[in-house]
Amino acid sequence: MALYEPVIGLEVHAQLKTRSKIFCGCSTRFGAPPNTQVCPVCLGLPGVLPVTNERAVRFAVMTGLAVGARINLRSVFARKNYFYPDLPKGYQISQYDRPLCEGGAVEIHVDDAHKRIGLVRIHLEEDAGKSLHPEGKEGVETTRVDLNRAGVPLIEIVSEPDLRSGAEAYHYLTKLKQILVYLDVCDGNMEEGSLRCDANVSVRRAGAKEFGTKTEIKNLNSFRYVEKAIQFEIARQVGVVESGGRITQETLLWDSARGVAETMRSKEEAHDYRYFPEPDLLPLDLEPAWIESVRAELPELPDALRERLVAAHGIPEYDAEVLTETRSLAAYYEEAVAASGQPKLASNWIMTEVNAVRNKTGQPIETFPIRADRLGAMIGMIASGAISGKIAKQLFERMLTDEAPPAELVRRHGLAPIESEAELVALAREVIAANPGPAAEFRAGKEKTFAFLVGQAMKQSRGRAHPEKLQAALRSALGGEG
Ligand SMILES: [Zn+2]
């Protein structure tokens, strides 16, 4: 494999979070009954005129600014002509040779290295409808068309062919989604089709300057599928080249159930889109002052937030990366730090215990049952020695279902550490009585059995015994009775 270098570029379609469509006032709400959110404009009926949704333009410009792209003061909408059942007009309004944004980059972090993935362009376009294939009577296949999506605003984000592996593609998409969600311009919901991706893949001999022939894998709707489909396609192309064959330019579809990419159409069937400027829309002209006002309102983005957390709290970059997964997770962290004064301990608890529960329940941090100030209070108790780390885990479990303050839960459930000498001696005696064999072995000089007895005593106290004081009590009890 090292003899070959994969070259990958991605085209990402992101649905902009506007309430209405890009050229008409129809709703973009997901899940409405088929064809209930349509009008003459998005149905492409004759004699209607599209009107550009200003909010969609604003969102596209925000995205361009966030990735350092150049915003073109004049961009042009074009008709992309092709026939498809779910495209009623017979053309899609997109942007072609004069897109809204050009250049820019997305920084990714793979295996402790930072890498810049360049962008070619970001342009605005409308989505097409959706073909449904319900099984008809006696298993006969029918096709129905739902045009609720027709005219939904999209941005297409085209990367340079700077990616070199399926894993890099995965990281790039994760980062891109994170930026879009931070900007609040896209909900990032892949199940509902808010983010889709096409991957262009080719391989070339290591060191070669020229690109190999590329294939395109269409309509990937999960980041893991993108990664797997790319890995599959790289291996397939290397196999073809190795056995003396040639790669043919074609469009592939990923079959996630079988884990293979299959030919959808070959080059001979490639579309000629016959682009031309959309006659019903004026060029999109932007004022520099307006662009600057959009720039001024950009929120803090993931990279800046990550750097700020490292600088402000002295936590490792890895922690900051995990904690900035979403803006709200970072806010949760900062609140827990404010309540506990323990930046690293708070980070550890969120990365392990909190995220473990969230991964199991699929819960966003916004609705996590333990609010940040309560987690902070609990962490403060660990730091002050009021509870041990072990007990904290039991307390954490209780806090998931009980909203009482942590200190009250400690009292109510007897979770405070056992430090009283009398109690510890009693505990030691109990354990010795229950384990006469090991106690005798220890007294006969077998030091190793001591750890066993400590373990038994800890278990008996449900982890509450103060470790050093327990050991002292146990030694004196073992000696005293000898
Ligand atoms: Zn409409």
Side-chain angles (χ1 to χ4, degrees):
M1 276 299 275
L3 284 172
Y4 293 90
E5 182 185 48
V7 176
I8 302 146
L10 297 182
E11 293 168 18
V12 174
H13 287 94
Q15 178 178 340
L16 296 175
K17 225 172 139 181
T18 57
R19 274 193 291 274
S20 55
K21 293 184 180 178
I22 186 167
F23 299 121
C24 64
C26 291
S27 170
T28 55
R29 193 167 61 84
F30 179 82
N35 299 309
T36 55
Q37 295 173 170
V38 292
C39 74
V41 174
C42 53
L43 286 175
L45 299 181
V48 295
L49 282 179
V51 177
T52 308
N53 181 337
E54 215 181 289
R55 210 173 162 78
V57 176
R58 187 185 185 84
F59 284 175
V61 168
M62 283 173 75
T63 309
L65 292 171
V67 295
R70 185 171 71 252
I71 311 299
N72 289 326
L73 294 180
R74 167 165 282 195
S75 62
V76 176
F77 284 107
R79 286 192 184 178
K80 181 180 182 181
N81 296 280
Y82 61 100
F83 177 77
Y84 215 68
D86 52 18
L87 187 76
K89 291 197 290 254
Y91 62 85
Q92 178 189 20
I93 303 177
S94 180
Q95 293 190 312
Y96 182 51
D97 51 355
R98 303 187 66 182
L100 183 59
C101 317
E102 290 178 87
V106 170
E107 197 153 305
I108 60 169
H109 193 182
V110 192
D111 301 333
D112 287 332
H114 287 279
K115 187 172 173 183
R116 273 172 65 88
I117 307 303
L119 298 180
V120 180
R121 58 191 275 151
I122 300 174
H123 69 250
L124 275 164
E125 64 183 34
E126 58 179 347
D127 205 350
K130 199 171 152 189
S131 298
L132 308 165
H133 305 280
E135 280 223 340
K137 273 184 191 155
E138 286 124 32
V140 179
E141 272 224 352
T142 55
T143 297
R144 292 173 184 198
V145 180
D146 175 10
L147 295 171
N148 282 352
R149 282 199 78 95
V152 159
L154 304 178
I155 44 174
E156 180 172 338
I157 304 157
V158 181
S159 85
E160 296 281 359
D162 287 348
L163 298 156
R164 293 289 171 266
S165 67
E168 285 190 7
Y170 179 86
H171 283 278
Y172 167 80
L173 289 167
T174 305
K175 187 60 174 289
L176 196 58
K177 171 180 164 179
Q178 194 185 31
I179 292 170
L180 294 169
V181 173
Y182 266 62
L183 291 170
D184 204 22
V185 301
C186 173
D187 64 21
N189 193 329
M190 301 199 79
E191 290 77 40
E192 296 179 2
S194 304
L195 268 183
R196 280 120 63 194
C197 173
D198 302 338
N200 290 298
V201 180
S202 66
V203 296
R204 62 181 171 191
R205 281 201 175 273
K209 285 273 170 288
E210 268 173 45
F211 291 145
T213 303
K214 69 179 180 188
T215 58
E216 185 180 27
I217 315 168
K218 276 274 184 205
N219 259 326
L220 294 156
N221 61 359
S222 118
F223 294 173
R224 283 294 170 209
Y225 291 169
V226 174
E227 184 173 10
K228 281 189 189 151
I230 288 172
Q231 282 165 350
F232 171 89
E233 183 55 10
I234 291 168
R236 187 191 71 85
Q237 290 191 16
V238 168
V240 170
V241 176
E242 283 280 82
S243 59
R246 288 181 59 161
I247 305 297
T248 48
Q249 193 177 331
E250 58 185 337
T251 304
L252 306 167
L253 273 185
W254 176 246
D255 183 332
S256 58
R258 292 190 297 129
V260 295
E262 288 180 318
T263 304
M264 181 176 140
R265 56 174 178 255
S266 64
K267 195 189 175 186
E268 294 74 55
E269 304 162 53
H271 288 120
D272 169 15
Y273 294 119
R274 294 176 295 114
Y275 281 100
F276 61 84
E278 164 62 59
D280 291 341
L281 286 166
L282 290 171
L284 189 56
D285 286 317
L286 303 177
E287 295 288 334
W290 180 80
I291 295 173
E292 286 318 303
S293 76
V294 174
R295 191 195 303 277
E297 284 171 27
L298 288 181
E300 188 176 28
L301 290 164
D303 287 349
L305 179 53
R306 190 186 68 229
E307 281 162 29
R308 184 168 66 74
L309 290 189
V310 170
H313 303 298
I315 52 172
E317 192 163 321
Y318 172 80
D319 294 35
E321 181 106 31
V322 176
L323 296 169
T324 53
E325 179 200 336
T326 61
R327 275 201 284 178
S328 27
L329 186 64
Y332 181 93
Y333 167 68
E334 292 208 281
E335 209 184 312
V337 173
S340 65
Q342 299 290 326
K344 181 56 183 154
L345 206 48
S347 162
N348 291 349
W349 272 85
I350 294 170
M351 290 195 304
T352 55
E353 308 299 322
V354 172
N355 277 354
V357 174
R358 289 177 57 220
N359 289 341
K360 221 185 289 168
T361 59
Q363 204 161 25
I365 193 68
E366 285 88 340
T367 58
F368 192 71
I370 304 176
R371 298 311 312 146
D373 56 332
R374 294 176 72 227
L375 184 77
M378 186 205 81
I379 290 168
M381 291 169 75
I382 304 172
S384 72
I387 51 171
S388 67
K390 226 178 201 164
I391 290 296
K393 289 191 181 169
Q394 295 178 32
L395 176 57
F396 181 82
E397 286 297 321
R398 297 203 179 268
M399 287 167 73
L400 285 170
T401 52
D402 193 328
E403 283 181 8
E408 190 192 315
L409 290 173
V410 165
R411 272 195 304 276
R412 204 195 299 159
H413 299 286
L415 295 174
I418 306 172
E419 294 188 72
S420 110
E421 209 187 312
E423 271 185 78
L424 290 170
V425 167
L427 176 65
R429 292 207 174 114
E430 216 177 300
V431 167
I432 292 166
N435 298 278
E441 281 177 32
F442 175 78
R443 287 184 182 121
K446 201 170 168 196
E447 178 68 26
K448 264 201 221 157
T449 45
F450 187 66
F452 169 79
L453 292 167
V454 170
Q456 291 301 306
M458 259 307 170
K459 208 164 147 190
Q460 180 91 3
S461 77
R462 290 184 296 127
R464 289 165 55 223
H466 186 281
E468 284 87 50
K469 290 180 183 170
L470 169 68
Q471 292 195 25
L474 200 52
R475 275 193 194 278
S476 83
L478 283 161
E481 285 173 5

